[in-house]
Amino acid sequence: MMVMLDLLLDLLLSPWVFVPLVYPGLVSAFALLLFIIWAERKMAGKVQMRYGPLYVLKPLGGIIQLVVDRIRYLFQEPIVPEEADAAAFVLAPIALFTACLLPVVVIPVGPEFYAFRSDISLLAFLALSSLAPAFTVAVGWASSNKFSLIGGLREGYLALAYEVPLVVSALAGAALYGTMDLVEMAEAQSSVWGVCLNPLAALVFLLLVYMETSRFPFEISEAESEIVMGPFTEYSGILYGLCMGASYVKMYALSLLFTVMFLGAWHPLPPPTGTVLDPILPGAVVFAKALAVMLCGTLLRAVYQRYRIDQALKISWHTLTPLSLASLALSALVGVA
Amino acid sequence: MSEAEERTIELLIGPQHPASGHMRLVARVDGDVVVELRPDIGYVHRTVEKLAEVKTYLQVVPLVERPALADTANHNLGYVLAVERLLGVEAPPRAQYLRTVLAEISRIHSHLYGLGILGIMLGSSTAFMWCFNDREPLIDLAQELTGARLTYSYMIPGGVRRDLPPGFAERAEKVFRYLERRLKDYERLYFRNPVVRARTEGVGVLTREDAVRLGVVGPNLRASGVAYDVREADPYEAYPDLDFHVVTREEGDCAARMWVRVDEIRESMRLVREALSKIPDGPILHERFSKAIPPKWREWMEEKRRVKIPAAMVSLRIPPGEALSRVEAARGELTFYLVSDGSPNPYRMRMVTPSFRNVVLFRHLIRDCRVADIPAIYGSLDYFPPEADR
């Protein structure tokens, strides 16, 4: 019996199970989802002279408000409209959420702790994360609603415009360290962080993290005052919960990548203490940095309005794409020196 | 189906849409470009004009306030002016000043309401919350004067219901200082926010000629460079005594309409300050009514500084005739036309609200623009469906 338990524990703690399932994978993504939306509402509330979530667990400022909301979503009837393509309508949000979470498996959360290591793990991340917009378009199409259709198409246009500078600025990061292996990239930053070596690439990448995940002022595909809820207009219940959570999970994955590539990953690492803390600490450092990136992104909601889609496309193609190319050149210069 | 029709889809925005208000916008869009937009109004028609025919003259006062909840004082004033013109009386000077003060406070919080709606339509929940929050001190101020937060029914034929409470001017000054400070924050986060500028400047341009031709009124007209304001063109109440200048902008776009409202808030604050410093002493109800009040109640009125509405006003009968009044409400020129046949109820009341005159702009301005410009232009017009539908 004890042997069985030990085996199970070993299996769970082995990186190729722990990373996708617990941290930084599914469990922490869900926990973060509950926290980050609460934090977003709380911060916006502070700026807007109101409380934000308050009454669910009042001593802690309503911190489990989102748990309650999720439970409500779970028990709410998921309505599938008669004219919708039922199979696609149900499956697309699940695929969307999965596609947003999947890239996380590539992220190393410690010098020795990763699900797998590859020379091209950066490319694997980018390839996996670019799957998601296709499912948003599918969501918009399957709903058989004009607002959903417009929202899905908007997402399609924007994804195309955002992917190019995102990939180019990520490649600028790779050129900086001369590798596409995320573990090597992280280790290369033990003394100087990537953001100091190539601030331009870091800035462009960070902006695109926020743009890709519909943060304000680029919350365009779901623009409430224009197209109700964009692609997700017809959704209810837990399917809506998945749709709404997808962009936050994507922000989580991209923030982790940003941390690993530009914010020094787990550096600076305190000296080993010889306790159980040692394997946990690098992961905690990565998480804290990624969380800070996410909190900045969510605070933008309280500051900005919303750009029009043509303006966002123009910003992406006319400003950010040339800037990302320039950052590639900068990386070449810095990398040589 | 023609080729042009095949290219476009019809988008029904509202009445169940987060940004439609109580109306439906039927938009025909080609890709992201709006080819045509038809506003479908009347969802909140409440037969105010017909209802007025079965109510007494005094009962109509709260009735005309209902259509424009954000701007009740000016609607109240417009109706009362028409009744007074029918009667041939004029409120005493102190009452006229008090009416002006309340009308301007109402204008300020109505403009804040409009700016808040524009903010949320552009996607800024902060602008919305700030504007709606900062209406509160003004509403409190009005409550102190009238006893009600929004539906004041403060102006009655021949005067006003209550006198100025002691210390009102100082508290008003405090509120205005607060609002001036806040307007600076607004400028940084909202009016001059690069995103707001990108979304409003050059969007929904209404030329001077079109504004005049379409009969547009209020801030929307003045944002196109036409210096027309009833307060100046046909002064009423205390406005002739006050140093008033008309706020205009030349550009005629959404940003100009927003800025006209912002500047009018500042102008209104100045007007209230001036009116409060100049306010004359004297009665607050016309002799015709105050002499009908029994002496015991007149003492009570002196002591409480408020009016006991006399029976003569409750069952007011007005000699046959007709009267027209115009006031500058927050959203533009408001016209009342009142016909009396000598009975206790108005024979006919016609009420032309500024929103109704501006609804034509939806069709005119929202054309060949982007889908995202629909809420931006809608918000900049400060259009209020219940006011238009009456």
Side-chain angles (χ1 to χ4, degrees):
Chain A
M1 192 63 195
M2 283 306 284
V3 182
M4 284 282 283
L5 269 179
D6 275 353
L7 260 175
L8 261 179
L9 200 66
D10 270 358
L11 188 65
L12 186 64
L13 288 179
S14 60
W16 53 88
V17 176
F18 192 80
V19 165
L21 275 190
V22 184
Y23 175 72
L26 202 59
V27 171
S28 36
F30 269 111
L32 183 101
L33 208 54
L34 300 179
F35 172 76
I36 197 81
I37 299 177
W38 170 81
E40 174 169 28
R41 290 172 59 181
K42 207 73 186 169
M43 283 193 296
K46 197 85 190 159
V47 175
Q48 295 165 2
M49 308 192 283
R50 55 193 179 84
Y51 290 115
L54 181 66
Y55 288 101
V56 194
L57 201 64
K58 208 170 177 183
L60 288 178
I63 194 159
I64 57 166
Q65 175 73 50
L66 265 291
V67 181
V68 178
D69 285 355
R70 282 299 121 121
I71 292 172
R72 184 178 67 78
Y73 280 147
L74 264 177
F75 289 103
Q76 199 178 14
E77 182 190 0
I79 300 164
V80 180
E82 221 164 74
E83 287 187 20
D85 181 341
F89 187 84
V90 174
L91 290 179
I94 301 171
L96 171 66
F97 192 86
T98 315
C100 288
L101 185 60
L102 210 52
V104 161
V105 294
V106 194
I107 300 288
V109 286
E112 304 294 330
F113 205 80
Y114 36 79
F116 67 89
R117 188 172 174 173
S118 147
D119 315 346
I120 52 158
S121 50
L122 173 64
L123 285 187
F125 183 102
L126 293 173
L128 287 174
S129 84
S130 60
L131 278 177
F135 293 114
T136 313
V137 178
V139 162
W141 178 253
S143 300
S144 175
N145 175 311
K146 286 169 186 171
F147 294 117
S148 302
L149 184 64
I150 292 176
L153 288 177
R154 282 187 178 191
E155 178 72 20
Y157 276 107
L158 293 169
L160 275 180
Y162 295 163
E163 257 345 292
V164 173
L166 181 83
V167 170
V168 174
S169 60
L171 290 182
L176 201 57
Y177 315 114
T179 173
M180 285 205 193
D181 181 351
L182 290 173
V183 183
E184 273 181 40
M185 287 167 93
E187 286 299 349
Q189 298 174 72
S190 55
S191 51
V192 188
W193 290 4
V195 66
C196 308
L197 290 174
N198 192 343
L200 189 59
L203 180 71
V204 173
F205 191 88
L206 181 65
L207 281 178
L208 282 154
V209 169
Y210 296 152
M211 290 164 88
E212 278 250 324
T213 56
S214 299
R215 296 299 100 209
F216 274 86
F218 298 98
E219 196 245 27
I220 291 162
S221 56
E222 291 113 49
E224 194 191 17
S225 58
E226 296 148 29
I227 48 174
V228 193
M229 197 59 212
F232 316 128
T233 304
E234 291 285 358
Y235 280 89
S236 54
I238 193 64
L239 288 176
Y240 174 73
L242 285 178
C243 292
M244 195 180 108
S247 78
Y248 288 92
V249 169
K250 192 170 187 189
M251 177 164 65
Y252 171 59
L254 283 166
S255 304
L256 281 173
L257 181 65
F258 180 72
T259 308
V260 169
M261 278 189 17
F262 293 105
L263 291 186
W266 46 84
H267 298 295
L269 204 56
T273 51
T275 60
V276 70
L277 273 178
D278 281 349
I280 299 176
L281 212 55
V285 173
V286 172
F287 189 79
K289 286 177 185 172
L291 188 63
V293 173
M294 279 181 276
L295 287 176
C296 289
T298 48
L299 182 64
L300 295 178
R301 172 179 295 272
V303 181
Y304 284 112
Q305 289 76 15
R306 184 185 291 123
Y307 274 119
R308 248 177 9 225
I309 182 168
D310 55 316
Q311 291 166 336
L313 291 174
K314 204 172 165 191
I315 289 171
S316 184
W317 287 120
H318 289 206
T319 313
L320 291 177
T321 307
L323 274 181
S324 66
L325 289 170
S327 75
L328 198 59
L330 186 65
S331 270
L333 280 177
V334 177
V336 168
Chain B
M1 201 184 252
S2 72
E3 200 187 337
E5 276 173 345
E6 270 175 27
R7 278 182 60 84
T8 59
I9 59 171
E10 195 178 55
L11 214 51
L12 299 179
I13 303 173
Q16 271 92 16
H17 182 283
S20 70
H22 304 291
M23 70 187 298
R24 166 174 274 172
L25 302 169
V26 185
R28 195 156 266 293
V29 294
D30 175 3
D32 195 40
V33 177
V34 183
V35 183
E36 186 201 6
L37 183 126
R38 280 180 293 122
D40 181 6
I41 61 172
Y43 281 85
V44 275
H45 176 54
R46 288 181 284 186
T47 66
V48 167
E49 290 173 347
K50 198 71 191 166
L51 269 176
E53 292 170 19
V54 295
K55 290 186 179 292
T56 63
Y57 284 95
L58 198 62
Q59 283 173 332
V60 177
V61 168
L63 179 68
V64 295
E65 288 183 337
R66 262 49 186 184
L69 266 186
D71 183 31
T72 51
N74 283 300
H75 284 244
N76 187 178
L77 180 56
Y79 169 73
V80 164
L81 275 180
V83 174
E84 285 176 357
R85 278 178 200 165
L86 267 180
L87 281 170
V89 300
E90 206 173 55
R94 187 172 176 83
Q96 292 196 358
Y97 269 78
L98 287 172
R99 287 173 175 189
T100 309
V101 166
L102 188 67
E104 291 305 316
I105 290 176
S106 179
R107 187 184 318 279
I108 297 172
H109 71 65
S110 172
H111 279 346
L112 280 174
Y113 184 105
L115 290 168
I117 295 291
L118 173 63
I120 192 72
M121 288 211 176
L122 293 174
S124 171
S125 46
T126 304
F128 174 69
M129 291 286 172
W130 279 12
C131 288
F132 273 66
N133 227 331
D134 289 335
R135 288 174 70 220
E136 278 308 304
L138 292 149
I139 290 173
D140 285 344
L141 210 57
Q143 185 181 14
E144 219 179 303
L145 184 62
T146 67
R149 277 169 56 82
L150 283 174
T151 47
Y152 309 122
S153 304
Y154 179 65
M155 301 149 194
I156 50 178
V160 294
R161 283 196 298 111
R162 290 180 175 204
D163 205 344
L164 209 57
F168 184 83
E170 289 83 65
R171 282 191 293 281
E173 182 61 33
K174 226 168 114 185
V175 169
F176 293 155
R177 289 234 180 92
Y178 168 78
L179 198 58
E180 275 163 359
R181 217 165 51 233
R182 291 291 293 164
L183 281 176
K184 285 190 190 124
D185 291 347
Y186 283 28
E187 274 196 25
R188 280 203 296 265
L189 185 127
Y190 177 13
F191 308 141
R192 291 190 197 282
N193 190 315
V195 183
V196 170
R197 294 187 56 179
R199 287 295 306 277
T200 57
E201 285 178 5
V203 172
V205 177
L206 176 66
T207 60
R208 193 190 155 92
E209 291 71 37
D210 283 343
V212 174
R213 182 172 60 85
L214 295 170
V216 175
V217 291
N220 298 336
L221 174 70
R222 295 192 282 276
S224 295
V226 184
Y228 175 78
D229 189 315
V230 183
R231 288 174 287 176
E232 196 206 47
D234 181 13
Y236 50 94
E237 300 305 287
Y239 290 109
D241 306 344
L242 302 176
D243 174 29
F244 171 68
H245 88 267
V246 183
V247 177
T248 57
R249 291 259 161 173
E250 294 302 321
E251 300 87 353
D253 56 3
C254 292
R257 290 191 277 275
M258 175 180 79
W259 279 111
V260 163
R261 294 202 168 82
V262 177
D263 292 343
E264 282 194 3
I265 288 177
R266 297 207 173 97
E267 182 68 18
S268 291
M269 289 197 283
R270 218 188 41 68
L271 278 174
V272 176
R273 278 177 174 143
E274 195 186 337
L276 284 175
S277 68
K278 276 188 183 170
I279 190 162
D281 281 333
I284 54 169
L285 189 63
H286 191 266
E287 249 194 345
R288 180 196 153 123
F289 294 111
S290 59
K291 72 173 189 245
I293 296 170
K296 197 183 83 186
W297 279 110
R298 240 179 285 173
E299 271 170 41
W300 180 88
M301 277 170 56
E302 289 288 314
E303 190 194 317
K304 298 272 185 192
R305 296 157 66 83
R306 59 168 70 172
V307 164
K308 163 86 175 80
I309 293 178
M313 196 192 291
V314 175
S315 56
L316 188 64
R317 279 170 187 270
I318 299 179
E322 53 194 75
L324 180 96
S325 77
R326 297 195 295 162
V327 293
E328 183 74 21
R331 296 186 177 83
E333 180 179 356
L334 168 71
T335 313
F336 275 96
Y337 178 60
L338 206 56
V339 182
S340 165
D341 60 355
S343 71
N345 323 106
Y347 175 74
R348 184 84 180 87
M349 186 191 80
R350 179 95 176 97
M351 168 183 185
V352 185
T353 51
S355 283
F356 184 68
R357 293 182 65 178
N358 286 337
V359 73
V360 64
L361 286 177
F362 280 95
R363 211 176 177 139
H364 181 76
L365 290 183
I366 308 181
R367 188 188 294 160
D368 299 326
C369 63
R370 300 275 172 169
V371 172
D373 289 334
I374 298 176
I377 296 173
Y378 186 160
S380 77
L381 295 179
D382 192 11
Y383 175 76
F384 194 57
E387 188 187 280
D389 291 351
R390 287 153 297 159

